[in-house]
Amino acid sequence: MNNLHIYNSLTKTKEKFVPIHEGAVGMYVCGPTVYSNVHLGNCRTFLSFDLVFRYLKHLGYKVRYVRNITDAGHLENDGESGEDPILKKARIEQLEPMEVVQKYTVDFHTVLSKFNALPPSIEPTATGHIIEQIEIIEKIIAEGFAYENNGSVYFDVLKFNESHQYGKLSGRNIEDMIANTRELSAQTDKKNLQDFALWKKAEPQHIMRWPSPWSVGFPGWHLECTAMSTKYLGDNFDIHGGGMDLKFPHHECEIAQAEACNDISPVNYWMHANMLTLNGRKMSKSTGNFILPNEMFTGENDILKKPFSPTVTKFFMYQAHYRSILDFSSEALEASEKGFNRLMDAYRMLNGLETSEKSSLDIESWKKACYDAMDDDFNSPILIAHLFEGVKFINALKEGKETITKEDLENLKTTMHNFLFEVMGLQDLSSENSGDSEKLSAAVELLIELRNQARANKDFATSDRIRDRLSDKGIQLKDGKEGTTFKL
């Protein structure tokens, strides 16, 4: 069906993709913990796998895409200790925990919809699969790889490592983990400091709790994904994706749980999307170094010079490979916006091109290069580079420098359409809107420059008049340390 190769994080090599069942793909991606608005760094991961989902479908596969919602059990400190962030938010906002879950699940869906991301085939929740999680714990205990202590159940990492390899995904060995682990008071119920929770006994103040054979409590974070992925995709499935930061301990623990329970490696291809950085640092809610998508779309932030549409933001992300770190800046986004507008302008020109009896362009080779890029571990930046080659073809045809047959023109048009809209899921902002937006931005930048000159000359009347007249038209100026920015 294809020549698709995927970089497998488990083997650290690119491998030819061979699905377990011909013509069908099972893919699981770790979804959000819904206690706050989804930030742009999170979105990059989900948009990376939207690209994977779309391309697999484009190749003709029947894809079952499962992406969970973590609405219980994810504690701070990698899910092992500290407070449940959902309960913490519920207390702060004086809401029921499930009100918090609903509020931020809706936000998550709304934001991804703005990015034109396809919904998954199944979106299970952790709270909807408590029974399945209890059943897996019972099986792991029966296999001798877990133990109960004081109402909590822990996975016995050292016991598991005697017959299996814990750490093979992240490349860590157990001896180093033991040497680097510090004693923590919250871990006193564990036999070994490396062990992780499968079930936690609920403290009196813990609102979200369920009965189990061991205590009234709640499941461990790592267990949720094992239960939901295997329930809907089977004990062994094709692709498991997530952010790079989940490789250890979350995905490492998923492998251990599944192998302990089913004695089979759960996933054939592990995929990890890299970080989106801001000012050279990881974008993270916990450090405050992040920007929310809606702040970016409206321009209500102190980081960017102007607003950027969801589709331009998505295009910016796809100009870097999903496995590479991408640094976020206003200048890079502006360059992406110009490139995006060039692509859309060229695509719109396709309908007005004249055809000839002969083609001077090799459209078939160009089309193959586009597919080769995506077949090489979903290499979207190389794909985009080839699409810009297509722009050159279109401009040359428009200027009469090249010729094309009707059949080749249709091939060019279909290929451009498929990769722009079907595979990358971009949205045409329309000729008038995208062109006028760029022109309006240039005009406002000129007025800001004139206003700055007036202020430097102490001509505050002119300065105020420019600001007020722009405000009357709905264009807000904001003066800051980095200069003056505007919001349309």
Side-chain angles (χ1 to χ4, degrees):
M1 184 181 281
N2 67 86
N3 192 36
L4 177 62
H5 286 69
I6 296 176
Y7 181 85
N8 190 345
S9 298
L10 186 63
T11 61
K12 315 292 189 291
T13 58
K14 284 182 192 174
E15 300 175 7
K16 183 173 174 59
F17 178 64
V18 180
I20 296 165
H21 303 290
E22 188 177 350
V25 178
M27 181 170 79
Y28 184 89
V29 172
C30 292
T33 301
V34 282
Y35 67 94
S36 63
N37 299 105
V38 62
H39 69 67
L40 211 58
N42 303 138
C43 289
R44 187 194 182 191
T45 295
F46 300 123
L47 292 178
S48 294
F49 288 102
D50 185 59
L51 181 72
V52 172
F53 182 35
R54 284 173 173 276
Y55 189 59
L56 289 169
K57 283 166 66 75
H58 176 72
L59 291 178
Y61 286 110
K62 181 181 179 182
V63 186
R64 177 177 287 176
Y65 175 21
V66 183
R67 187 185 65 210
N68 73 300
I69 295 287
T70 294
D71 57 354
H74 186 178
L75 303 183
E76 297 161 333
N77 303 313
D78 286 332
E80 283 301 298
S81 62
E83 195 171 2
D84 184 326
I86 292 170
L87 296 183
K88 189 174 182 179
K89 198 61 173 268
R91 193 178 66 249
I92 292 168
E93 297 192 4
Q94 295 184 309
L95 298 170
E96 280 288 326
M98 279 301 158
E99 285 184 277
V100 173
V101 166
Q102 179 69 10
K103 176 181 177 179
Y104 294 113
T105 300
V106 169
D107 170 73
F108 174 64
H109 290 152
T110 301
V111 169
L112 287 194
S113 176
K114 288 179 181 178
F115 279 118
N116 196 31
L118 297 175
S121 316
I122 303 173
E123 193 172 50
T125 63
T127 55
H129 295 77
I130 300 295
I131 292 171
E132 289 87 347
Q133 293 173 74
I134 289 172
E135 288 173 348
I136 289 176
I137 296 170
E138 289 176 326
K139 198 168 179 184
I140 294 174
I141 291 173
E143 294 293 333
F145 295 119
Y147 57 92
E148 182 269 337
N149 192 354
N150 195 28
S152 292
V153 182
Y154 295 96
F155 189 93
D156 193 332
V157 169
L158 297 187
K159 175 72 174 174
F160 174 79
N161 204 56
E162 290 174 6
S163 53
H164 298 75
Q165 185 186 350
Y166 182 78
K168 60 186 175 183
L169 178 66
S170 58
R172 305 182 185 209
N173 67 65
I174 200 75
E175 290 78 15
D176 289 343
M177 290 185 226
I178 292 169
N180 293 329
T181 306
R182 295 175 182 171
E183 187 74 47
L184 297 174
S185 59
Q187 296 174 326
T188 51
D189 287 341
K190 300 180 181 183
K191 283 183 185 177
N192 313 295
L193 299 179
Q194 294 71 38
D195 296 348
F196 56 88
L198 298 175
W199 187 266
K200 294 281 280 187
K201 181 181 179 181
E203 298 296 328
Q205 71 273 16
H206 202 97
I207 306 169
M208 299 173 82
R209 52 175 63 212
W210 294 266
S212 80
W214 314 285
S215 65
V216 174
F218 54 94
W221 170 41
H222 311 307
L223 186 67
E224 298 169 7
C225 288
T226 296
M228 289 183 276
S229 62
T230 55
K231 179 179 174 69
Y232 297 109
L233 299 174
D235 293 344
N236 174 236
F237 55 94
D238 296 299
I239 298 171
H240 192 315
M244 197 77 78
D245 55 330
L246 297 181
K247 190 183 288 187
F248 186 89
H250 186 54
H251 292 161
E252 200 72 76
C253 294
E254 277 192 64
I255 292 173
Q257 290 165 162
E259 289 185 354
C261 187
N262 303 315
D263 201 30
I264 185 173
S265 183
V267 178
N268 287 359
Y269 302 87
W270 283 92
M271 296 179 66
H272 291 92
N274 217 322
M275 296 184 299
L276 188 65
T277 58
L278 180 61
N279 301 322
R281 293 187 297 121
K282 179 186 174 184
M283 205 173 281
S284 167
K285 294 174 191 167
S286 59
T287 63
N289 189 54
F290 69 95
I291 183 171
L292 298 177
N294 285 332
E295 294 173 343
M296 182 171 178
F297 306 153
T298 62
E300 293 174 0
N301 62 80
D302 298 321
I303 298 165
L304 305 175
K305 295 177 182 176
K306 53 172 281 191
F308 293 95
S309 70
T311 200
V312 165
T313 307
K314 188 180 191 180
F315 182 67
F316 162 71
M317 292 186 193
Y318 289 165
Q319 285 187 289
H321 190 265
Y322 77 89
R323 285 192 289 114
S324 65
I325 293 174
L326 174 60
D327 197 48
F328 186 90
S329 74
S330 200
E331 291 73 23
L333 278 157
E334 286 177 28
S336 280
E337 185 174 54
K338 288 175 183 174
F340 172 81
N341 288 335
R342 275 180 58 214
L343 272 172
M344 292 299 145
D345 288 344
Y347 176 77
R348 292 184 208 107
M349 275 193 262
L350 280 165
N351 286 328
L353 295 177
E354 294 183 2
T355 57
S356 178
E357 291 184 6
K358 285 188 176 181
S359 286
S360 58
L361 298 168
D362 187 351
I363 300 301
E364 201 55 46
S365 293
W366 167 80
K367 177 180 176 179
K368 182 179 181 301
C370 291
Y371 278 96
D372 286 348
M374 286 300 289
D375 284 344
D376 183 15
D377 194 31
F378 310 96
N379 201 324
S380 56
I382 299 299
L383 167 66
I384 289 169
H386 289 309
L387 293 178
F388 278 118
E389 283 297 311
V391 170
K392 289 181 184 176
F393 291 170
I394 294 165
N395 288 332
L397 290 165
K398 183 79 174 176
E399 294 166 9
K401 295 177 181 176
E402 302 284 358
T403 58
I404 194 167
T405 63
K406 185 177 180 181
E407 184 182 8
D408 278 348
L409 178 60
E410 195 57 39
N411 197 7
L412 174 60
K413 191 185 299 183
T414 301
T415 304
M416 289 287 284
H417 179 275
N418 285 346
F419 283 108
L420 287 172
F421 305 116
E422 189 175 307
V423 174
M424 289 196 285
L426 301 175
Q427 294 172 295
D428 190 347
L429 301 177
S430 88
S431 180
E432 293 79 19
N433 288 345
S434 89
D436 287 353
S437 175
E438 198 170 354
K439 290 171 187 172
L440 178 59
S441 294
V444 175
E445 292 285 0
L446 176 60
L447 287 169
I448 288 172
E449 192 178 319
L450 293 172
R451 179 172 174 261
N452 288 341
Q453 288 176 4
R455 292 170 79 189
N457 296 332
K458 295 188 168 32
D459 182 1
F460 298 114
T462 300
S463 165
D464 291 346
R465 190 161 66 250
I466 292 172
R467 182 199 61 211
D468 294 342
R469 292 292 293 275
L470 286 172
S471 180
D472 291 343
K473 299 298 181 185
I475 301 169
Q476 304 294 324
L477 299 187
K478 184 165 65 174
D479 296 318
K481 291 179 182 177
E482 304 298 319
T484 303
T485 57
F486 69 92
K487 184 180 74 167
L488 299 175

